[in-house]
Amino acid sequence: MSAAASSSSPSSSSKEVTKSDGEVETTSSKAEEGEKEQQQQQQNDDDDNDDNLRMRQALLDFRNRYEQLKHNPCFVSEIVVRGNKRTREKLIKNCFEKRVEKCGNLEEIKDELLKGREELEKYNIFKGINVTLDAGSEENYVPNGAKIIVDVAEKDALTLKAGTFVSQSGEGTVEITGGLKNAVGCAERIDFELIRGHEKSASYALHWEQPRVLRSDIATALRIFQQHNCSVRHSSFHETGRGLSFHLSSPERPATLEYNLVWREITDPTRFASRAVRKMCGHSLKSSIVHTLGGESEEEDEREGEGVRAEKKRNWWWNVRTELAGLNPVFDSTTEAFVKSEYHAKYKGVFPERVNDFLPEKMKHSLSWQVGARAGVILLLQKEFYLASSSPSNSGVRGSNIADRFFMGGVGSLRMFEPHGAGPCDARREKDSTFSSPSRTPSSPGVSVSGNLTPPRSAQSSSPYDSLGGDVIVSGTASVKMDIPVEKLRNIGVHGHVFVNAGCLIPHEQKVKHTFKASNFRDSLRASCGAGIVWPLPVGNIELNFGRVLLANSTDRVVGSKFQAGLAASLSA
């Protein structure tokens, strides 16, 4: 037994040695691989360092060489454009030719090329622009001559967008826009627009825009359109307009100029509109010039250095829009002639430090305040309107068109009132109203009235009054903005606010000077207050408010509950 045991021992020992050798070989192999990886990583790092050193040295050599040559005589003898599949070569060369033709050395050429590249970017038709200054061609060698090479990559020509939106009046719309950009090669833009609302509002338009006319900073736009604005829910009328507009603007200047020529028709699709609205039904021609001027100021936050992130904030903003209508050469009963001016202004500020001393630590420096004001007036240029009170034959003059008037109410105008819900109004016809004699039938064109009618669903579910708007408006708002404790909402700009709104909306009387009596402003004053949450978006602010009405008339349409949600259109210039 012992011999057998002793004879088996060497075999077992041999297996153990073999196993041990395998482990040593495996461990040694892994170590070698790790060492090779480290060596390879070190080699890569060394190569990267060498590349960086070579690039730095090359850049240093280039700068030294440039400093030596930048004042030597040099001029541009040739401009080469590459990559322009649709864009006309002349358009690209025009950005550089006039700039470099008077340059006499390398430094001057470099400065002008940077300006030319910036000008080319403003056309907004290229994904990439690369400008190279190289030696002149050998076949066309000119002493001290240089060649400019402009490489461009064009953006896609076809654009198409679609989306659903909610207008400030509360109507939901589906919008489809598309077109061609730079299709002809002149950096032009041709777009079409289709908009359809659930209340039968619609708009169809063809739009041509040409930027940088004659290499200036002025952009022109021509728009041909047909639009249908449905105001049945608020005022029982439907406006149809067909016409064109021509627009001049510049990103470098605060003013815009626009000409409008529109043939309009006001109709009563419900046939239950109030007498004041039926009086305005019919056709009219508006030929007008609109001038808009705006400005703003941005200043850095003075609390920098106290743990507050320094940023530029818009402290004040103002906008003035003036429209002069009645430019058509022939005046008749269909001509709209008036001057309409509207002013917007707002100012934003922060509370002084002594206010922050009374706030919890998390709310310090989170409060700001804002005040805003709006004023507007419409003055008719029709002599018959001012003589209406002295001449019985002119008693039928209708005054300003309801489609041009100011309205008040809604999130973006007067909170806690429904859109167009505050101000002058007139009672709608009742369902069983009839006209028993021709003398009571409205004489306005485009209106047919019949008894025993059933109003459409939109008219049945709305107020018994038609909003008529006004010719004079004055309103103001004051609010305090504060951060909310939810970080994810703060990161997307959502904040809380406390607000107070007030405004007056007044129609012209027969004697215009009586419109501006203090008693009219006192009697037409409306006001509300409350608090809510605001989500700023590029198209405006989405608000969810809780509040109450402070001053209102019995005929005003106010929010039935204490909550109101809506979109306030952005007033940025």
Side-chain angles (χ1 to χ4, degrees):
M1 294 291 293
S2 62
S6 63
S7 65
S8 64
S9 177
S11 175
S12 175
S13 175
S14 175
K15 292 181 180 179
E16 292 177 1
V17 171
T18 303
K19 181 178 180 182
S20 176
D21 290 343
E23 291 179 353
V24 172
E25 289 177 0
T26 303
T27 304
S28 175
S29 176
K30 290 183 178 179
E32 290 176 359
E33 291 178 359
E35 185 176 353
K36 288 181 180 180
E37 289 179 358
Q38 291 179 358
Q39 291 176 355
Q40 185 65 33
Q41 183 65 34
Q42 183 65 32
Q43 183 66 30
N44 293 338
D45 293 341
D46 293 341
D47 292 342
D48 291 340
N49 293 333
D50 292 341
D51 291 342
N52 292 334
L53 290 174
R54 282 194 294 269
M55 291 178 61
R56 291 178 183 177
Q57 186 61 40
L59 182 60
L60 184 60
D61 293 342
F62 171 79
R63 289 178 177 175
N64 293 334
R65 184 64 174 165
Y66 177 79
E67 290 296 327
Q68 295 174 3
L69 300 176
K70 66 179 183 180
H71 296 302
N72 289 0
C74 181
F75 66 93
V76 175
S77 60
E78 185 181 3
I79 299 179
V80 178
V81 178
R82 300 185 304 199
N84 55 320
K85 298 178 181 179
R86 300 187 310 273
T87 309
R88 298 187 180 182
E89 185 176 296
K90 187 65 176 176
L91 182 144
I92 300 175
K93 286 185 175 181
N94 283 340
C95 296
F96 300 96
E97 284 180 340
K98 296 293 184 182
R99 294 182 179 275
V100 301
E101 64 181 6
K102 296 182 179 180
C103 295
N105 56 54
L106 194 60
E107 179 76 3
E108 294 176 355
I109 295 175
K110 186 256 304 183
D111 294 338
E112 294 302 325
L113 289 183
L114 293 175
K115 295 178 182 178
R117 186 182 187 278
E118 183 180 352
E119 179 182 345
L120 196 59
E121 286 179 338
K122 291 181 179 178
Y123 283 106
N124 194 28
I125 57 176
F126 301 112
K127 294 185 291 186
I129 303 173
N130 186 33
V131 183
T132 305
L133 182 62
D134 201 355
S137 303
E138 294 182 359
E139 58 271 16
N140 298 322
Y141 175 75
V142 178
N144 299 325
K147 177 173 63 174
I148 297 176
I149 304 174
V150 184
D151 292 293
V152 296
E154 297 175 333
K155 292 183 177 179
D156 295 336
L158 182 63
T159 61
L160 183 64
K161 296 180 181 178
T164 57
F165 302 88
V166 179
S167 67
Q168 197 169 358
S169 62
E171 182 178 7
T173 61
V174 176
E175 301 185 13
I176 300 175
T177 59
L180 297 174
K181 181 185 292 186
N182 194 30
V184 183
C186 297
E188 77 292 337
R189 181 168 185 152
I190 307 172
D191 292 329
F192 70 89
E193 177 185 78
L194 303 176
I195 301 176
R196 185 73 178 181
H198 77 276
E199 293 181 356
K200 295 187 179 182
S201 291
S203 176
Y204 314 96
L206 183 64
H207 181 268
W208 175 293
E209 181 179 356
Q210 182 63 55
R212 305 189 62 78
V213 177
L214 300 177
R215 294 188 60 199
S216 67
D217 59 353
I218 297 177
T220 62
L222 176 65
R223 185 171 181 264
I224 303 174
F225 62 89
Q226 174 176 299
Q227 60 186 22
H228 309 276
N229 295 324
C230 182
S231 298
V232 171
R233 184 155 54 97
H234 306 129
S235 305
S236 297
F237 76 90
H238 191 288
E239 178 196 7
T240 301
R242 302 176 180 89
L244 59 87
S245 64
F246 183 74
H247 188 269
L248 296 175
S249 64
S250 169
E252 308 295 333
R253 307 182 188 189
T256 63
L257 191 64
E258 181 179 358
Y259 173 74
N260 297 302
L261 180 63
V262 188
W263 179 255
R264 302 188 299 183
E265 182 183 13
I266 303 295
T267 59
D268 171 21
T270 68
R271 290 185 276 187
F272 284 89
S274 62
R275 184 176 296 275
V277 172
R278 295 199 307 273
K279 184 179 177 182
M280 299 178 192
C281 290
H283 293 89
S284 64
L285 177 65
K286 185 170 80 167
S287 175
S288 67
I289 287 181
V290 181
H291 180 265
T292 305
L293 181 66
E296 62 185 31
S297 170
E298 291 185 348
E299 297 180 5
E300 288 188 1
D301 195 339
E302 298 178 354
R303 299 170 300 181
E304 181 182 3
E306 301 179 7
V308 179
R309 178 169 55 92
E311 58 181 2
K312 287 192 173 183
K313 296 185 176 180
R314 181 180 296 175
N315 283 347
W316 58 263
W317 174 89
W318 60 272
N319 180 276
V320 179
R321 183 182 185 274
T322 304
E323 181 177 9
L324 172 63
L327 302 180
N328 42 315
V330 179
F331 274 71
D332 55 23
S333 60
T334 64
T335 299
E336 299 288 356
F338 60 86
V339 176
K340 179 180 180 181
S341 292
E342 189 171 4
Y343 310 86
H344 291 271
K346 65 181 179 182
Y347 184 86
K348 183 188 300 182
V350 296
F351 287 98
E353 286 300 319
R354 58 177 177 268
V355 175
N356 292 314
D357 295 338
F358 296 95
L359 298 176
E361 188 65 29
K362 292 185 178 180
M363 293 189 61
K364 288 184 182 295
H365 310 296
S366 68
L367 296 182
S368 62
W369 57 272
Q370 178 178 299
V371 293
R374 176 191 180 193
V377 62
I378 298 176
L379 296 177
L380 298 179
L381 302 180
Q382 297 167 330
K383 181 175 66 175
E384 293 79 7
F385 177 78
Y386 297 95
L387 299 177
S389 59
S390 58
S391 175
S393 61
N394 291 326
S395 60
V397 178
R398 66 181 181 179
S400 60
N401 194 305
I402 191 172
D404 296 317
R405 292 179 180 175
F406 302 107
F407 287 87
M408 191 168 63
V411 171
S413 174
L414 189 64
R415 298 179 180 92
M416 310 316 297
F417 287 80
E418 293 185 5
H420 297 191
C425 63
D426 192 17
R428 293 173 175 171
R429 292 180 58 206
E430 297 180 0
K431 186 173 73 171
D432 58 349
S433 63
T434 58
F435 292 92
S436 57
S437 64
S439 61
R440 296 184 61 191
T441 303
S443 58
S444 302
V447 179
S448 60
V449 181
S450 174
N452 302 321
L453 295 176
T454 301
R457 188 177 185 84
S458 59
Q460 289 179 338
S461 60
S462 58
S463 167
Y465 297 96
D466 283 334
S467 297
L468 302 180
D471 301 293
V472 179
I473 186 171
V474 178
S475 64
T477 179
S479 62
V480 175
K481 170 188 169 182
M482 65 201 73
D483 290 342
I484 58 178
V486 183
E487 184 177 358
K488 290 184 178 181
L489 294 179
R490 286 202 308 270
N491 293 337
I492 60 175
V494 178
H495 60 270
H497 72 151
V498 179
F499 62 85
V500 176
N501 296 150
C504 303
L505 187 62
I506 306 170
H508 277 315
E509 297 186 6
Q510 287 188 341
K511 291 186 177 181
V512 177
K513 63 180 181 179
H514 293 166
T515 303
F516 299 94
K517 293 189 298 184
S519 58
N520 286 340
F521 288 91
R522 180 196 63 215
D523 296 339
S524 64
L525 182 62
R526 309 287 193 269
S528 64
C529 66
I533 297 175
V534 182
W535 183 12
L537 295 174
V539 295
N541 296 336
I542 294 179
E543 297 186 11
L544 177 61
N545 297 317
F546 174 83
R548 60 172 298 180
V549 174
L550 301 178
L551 291 174
N553 191 285
S554 60
T555 58
D556 291 337
R557 296 195 301 271
V558 300
V559 177
S561 62
K562 300 296 182 181
F563 288 95
Q564 182 185 39
L567 173 68
S570 175
L571 296 179
S572 299

